[in-house]
């Protein structure tokens, strides 16, 4: 029997995704400090190498319908409670709403219960959040903006107070913290050099001009708002004909393939599909581009920055502002972008000879652009001012080698903040504090 304290990590599945990757990396990193167990609800379609990790399948996969969801909660609660009774964890740390619910419902006075928030939308689920606050010792946020939202909505400032929010006997009031995701930069470099893109990406176009690759990663989901990206890229090509767009991610992307065809840019857009090794594509890129509606902590953005791509992202909730701007956050960036837009409008209205500059924040580590309209718009002929603004930002960057190189180097430097050593230091601090 191990003399190390037990750490229980709880995640619904180990499908290929951001939070699952964090769980796998955390388990491997923390094995020297803890006896680590990963509990999952469904072991089908595991997308990561789990060799050397202790995985326990509770075998209660997701099922549709409200009645079956209630039954699932009852089953998961019973099986996780039995597992906790057997391994007696010092810390039970869950990731995402469905895992948090079961972790909270099985919380005991003998463990430190951590509920991890992975997306801004988690904060908006009022009943769930009240449960987590009552039952958990720590609300772990993957981005500072998420923690700010929790504090504003639920008044968790001064979270050292005990026995508040109806905390059970022996439990303290939940506290909040930020624990950023972790990245293995040496492994990213190894993976990048191990393979080349398939199909290959040509280096030059007709006339011998070097092609400039704009990369993005994310599943075929409205959250990523790819309709904005495809339309804007059409405008970019009018000024940067050597630009190429590469979209990696799971899903058919059929609607966006049709949009690209209708816009006549199919030959300039590559849909590379789901990639177990996206770094072989990223190493060919110049710019990493995000037009998301919302994120949690965008792993793909940091990974691309580690590969030296200049980042451009919309100011979505949450993550990009605090990654691309020193001491940045979504709320202040929204105000600043509004002020920039107003100043541009005043200049344009007062002098017709003045060309308006794009509305954007040129941060220390990347470029932040205004959030895009959220409604899905698949009309390929419908362009708005926001598309022209974003196209101007992108074309200015692609045509300015000095700015491009500056942001490529700054991105590499910034990404190092999210290294394994920093994650372990912060995790161990929180673990030590949980014993008090």
């Amino acid at each position: 029997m191990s003399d190390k304290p037990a750490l229980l990590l709880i995640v619904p599945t180990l499908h290929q995704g951001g939070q699952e990757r964090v769980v796998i990396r955390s388990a491997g990193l923390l094995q020297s400090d803890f006896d680590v167990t990963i509990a999952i609800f469904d072991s089908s379609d595991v997308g990561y190498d789990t060799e050397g990790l202790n995985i326990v399948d509770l075998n209660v996969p997701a099922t549709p319908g409200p009645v079956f969801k209630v039954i699932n909660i009852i089953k998961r609660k019973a099986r996780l409670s039995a597992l906790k009774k057997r391994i007696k964890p010092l810390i039970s740390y869950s990731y995402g709403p469905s895992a948090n619910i079961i972790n909270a419902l099985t919380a005991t006075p003998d463990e430190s219960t951590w509920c991890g928030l992975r997306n801004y939308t988690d904060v908006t689920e009022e009943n769930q959040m009240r449960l987590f606050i009552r039952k958990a010792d720590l609300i772990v946020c993957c981005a500072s903006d998420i923690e700010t939202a929790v504090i504003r909505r639920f008044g968790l400032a001064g979270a050292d107070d005990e026995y508040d929010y109806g905390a059970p006997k022996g439990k303290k009031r939940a506290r909040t913290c930020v624990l950023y995701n972790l990245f293995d930069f040496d492994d990213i470099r190894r993976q990048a050099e191990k393979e080349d893109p398939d199909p290959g990406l040509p280096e030059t176009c007709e006339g011998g001009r070097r092609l400039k690759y704009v990369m993005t990663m994310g599943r075929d989901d409205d959250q990523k708002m790819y309709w904005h990206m495809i339309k804007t890229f059409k405008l970019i090509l009018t000024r940067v004909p050597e630009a190429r767009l590469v979209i990696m991610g799971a899903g058919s992307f059929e609607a966006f393939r049709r949009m690209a065809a209708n816009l006549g840019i199919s030959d300039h857009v590559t849909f590379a599909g789901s990639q177990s090794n996206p770094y072989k594509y990223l190493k060919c890129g110049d710019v990493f581009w995000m037009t998301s509606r919302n994120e949690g902590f965008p792993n793909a953005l940091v990974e691309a920055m580690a590969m030296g791509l200049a980042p451009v992202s919309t100011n979505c909730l949450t993550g990009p502002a605090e990654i691309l701007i020193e001491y940045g956050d979504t709320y202040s960036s929204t105000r600043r972008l509004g002020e920039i837009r107003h100043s541009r409008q005043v200049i344009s209205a007062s002098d017709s000879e003045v060309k308006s500059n794009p509305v954007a924040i040129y941060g220390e580590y990347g470029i932040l652009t205004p959030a895009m309209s959220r409604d899905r718009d698949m009309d390929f002929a419908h362009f708005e001012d926001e598309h022209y603004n974003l196209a101007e930002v992108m074309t200015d960057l692609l045509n300015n080698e000095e700015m491009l190189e500056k942001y490529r180097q700054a991105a590499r430097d910034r990404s190092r903040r999210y290294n394994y050593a920093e994650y372990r230091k912060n995790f161990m601090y929180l673990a030590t504090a949980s014993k008090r």
Side-chain angles (χ1 to χ4, degrees):
M1 184 175 179
S2 173
D3 58 356
K4 292 182 288 191
L7 169 63
L8 178 60
L9 305 178
I10 308 157
V11 66
T13 71
L14 289 175
H15 298 170
Q16 206 170 65
Q19 75 176 11
E20 293 82 2
R21 192 179 313 141
V22 170
V23 170
I24 293 295
R25 289 173 176 168
S26 299
L29 175 66
L30 296 170
Q31 280 185 321
S32 60
D33 304 290
F34 297 95
D35 186 4
V36 183
T37 299
I38 301 175
I40 58 178
F41 301 147
D42 180 4
S43 62
S44 63
D45 192 24
V46 172
Y48 294 97
D49 181 7
T50 61
E51 185 177 355
L53 301 179
N54 180 26
I55 313 292
V56 175
D57 181 12
L58 301 181
N59 194 25
V60 191
T63 51
V67 174
F68 290 109
K69 287 182 179 179
V70 172
I71 293 172
N72 266 11
I73 288 174
I74 294 170
K75 288 182 178 179
R76 290 173 177 178
K77 180 184 174 186
R79 294 180 189 183
L80 185 63
S81 183
L83 177 62
K84 287 184 176 184
K85 186 175 181 180
R86 177 165 62 84
I87 69 174
K88 298 179 174 57
L90 172 69
I91 299 168
S92 295
Y93 180 11
S94 50
Y95 296 74
S98 59
N100 286 339
I101 289 170
I102 309 305
N103 192 25
L105 290 174
T106 57
T108 72
D110 299 323
E111 69 182 36
S112 184
T113 306
W114 297 7
C115 287
L117 304 185
R118 310 298 304 170
N119 198 296
Y120 178 80
T121 56
D122 295 349
V123 184
T124 65
E125 296 293 333
E126 186 88 10
N127 291 334
Q128 288 183 15
M129 284 299 304
R130 293 291 178 189
L131 171 66
F132 306 156
I133 289 167
R134 285 198 309 273
K135 297 289 189 177
D137 296 288
L138 193 62
I139 306 295
V140 184
C141 307
C142 66
S144 180
D145 279 332
I146 295 177
E147 182 185 37
T148 299
V150 173
I151 291 170
R152 287 180 173 179
R153 279 176 174 260
F154 301 99
L156 290 187
D160 290 330
D161 300 339
E162 297 184 8
Y163 311 117
D164 202 349
Y165 283 104
K169 185 176 180 181
K171 301 289 283 186
K172 294 183 178 181
R173 173 186 176 180
R175 298 176 294 123
T176 62
C177 72
V178 177
L179 187 63
Y180 287 120
N181 294 349
L182 68 166
F183 300 86
D184 187 340
F185 299 110
D186 291 336
D187 184 61
I188 286 174
R189 284 193 294 269
R190 283 194 298 269
Q191 293 293 326
E193 295 307 317
K194 190 165 65 173
E195 299 178 87
D196 289 320
D198 183 21
L201 300 177
E203 294 183 4
T204 60
C205 59
E206 291 182 10
R209 291 196 307 274
R210 184 182 75 84
L211 291 173
K212 297 179 179 180
Y213 284 99
V214 178
M215 303 286 184
T216 194
M217 290 194 288
R219 65 191 179 278
D220 183 357
D221 189 297
D222 280 2
Q223 174 188 327
K224 305 299 181 180
M225 302 205 294
Y226 286 120
W227 60 89
H228 287 308
M229 185 174 287
I230 300 292
K231 291 179 186 182
T232 303
F233 192 68
K234 168 67 174 180
L235 301 176
I236 293 169
L237 285 170
T238 63
R239 290 176 54 191
V240 193
E242 66 272 24
R244 298 293 183 270
L245 176 62
V246 178
I247 300 175
M248 290 176 277
S252 71
F253 288 89
E254 189 56 40
F256 301 110
R257 293 175 191 269
R258 287 197 302 271
M259 177 177 277
N262 288 330
L263 289 168
I265 61 172
S266 291
D267 291 343
H268 299 77
V269 182
T270 298
F271 292 92
S274 179
Q275 294 290 330
S276 59
N277 179 11
Y279 315 116
K280 65 184 180 183
Y281 280 92
L282 289 178
K283 70 181 177 182
C284 303
D286 296 280
V287 174
F288 187 79
W289 189 15
M290 282 180 25
T291 56
S292 297
R293 174 184 297 154
N294 58 275
E295 292 283 343
F297 184 89
N299 289 328
L301 177 61
V302 176
E303 289 171 339
M305 291 170 70
M307 292 294 299
L309 278 70
V312 179
S313 174
T314 51
N315 184 37
C316 67
L317 288 166
T318 59
E322 61 191 273
I323 294 171
L324 302 184
I325 301 172
E326 191 72 51
Y327 310 117
D329 65 80
T330 305
Y331 307 101
S332 61
S333 295
T334 299
R335 289 195 300 270
R336 188 173 167 191
L337 285 165
E339 292 166 358
I340 294 171
R341 179 182 289 109
H342 177 70
S343 69
R344 299 290 184 260
Q345 291 170 345
V346 169
I347 290 171
S348 299
S350 63
D351 187 348
S352 60
E353 298 297 318
V354 176
K355 181 180 178 181
S356 175
N357 292 323
V359 178
I361 298 173
Y362 290 82
E364 293 88 347
Y365 310 107
I367 302 173
L368 200 67
T369 59
M372 309 290 280
S373 56
R374 301 170 69 87
D375 293 335
R376 180 182 173 96
D377 179 8
M378 298 304 293
D379 181 354
F380 68 91
H382 182 221
F383 291 83
E384 295 280 1
D385 288 345
E386 60 185 347
H387 300 122
Y388 290 97
N389 181 76
L390 185 50
E392 189 169 355
V393 172
M394 292 290 290
T395 54
D396 285 352
L397 178 62
L398 289 167
N399 284 328
N400 187 330
E401 290 294 337
E402 184 178 350
M403 185 193 301
L404 193 59
E405 184 53 37
K406 174 194 127 180
Y407 275 124
R408 294 187 68 153
Q409 185 56 54
R412 290 187 192 96
D413 294 342
R414 179 61 158 182
S415 69
R416 297 303 184 268
R417 176 183 181 185
Y418 309 106
N419 60 60
Y420 271 32
E422 187 70 14
Y423 179 90
R424 181 181 175 275
K425 180 185 76 173
N426 292 331
F427 192 99
M428 295 307 295
Y429 170 80
L430 294 171
T432 302
S434 72
K435 299 177 184 178
R436 295 171 186 167

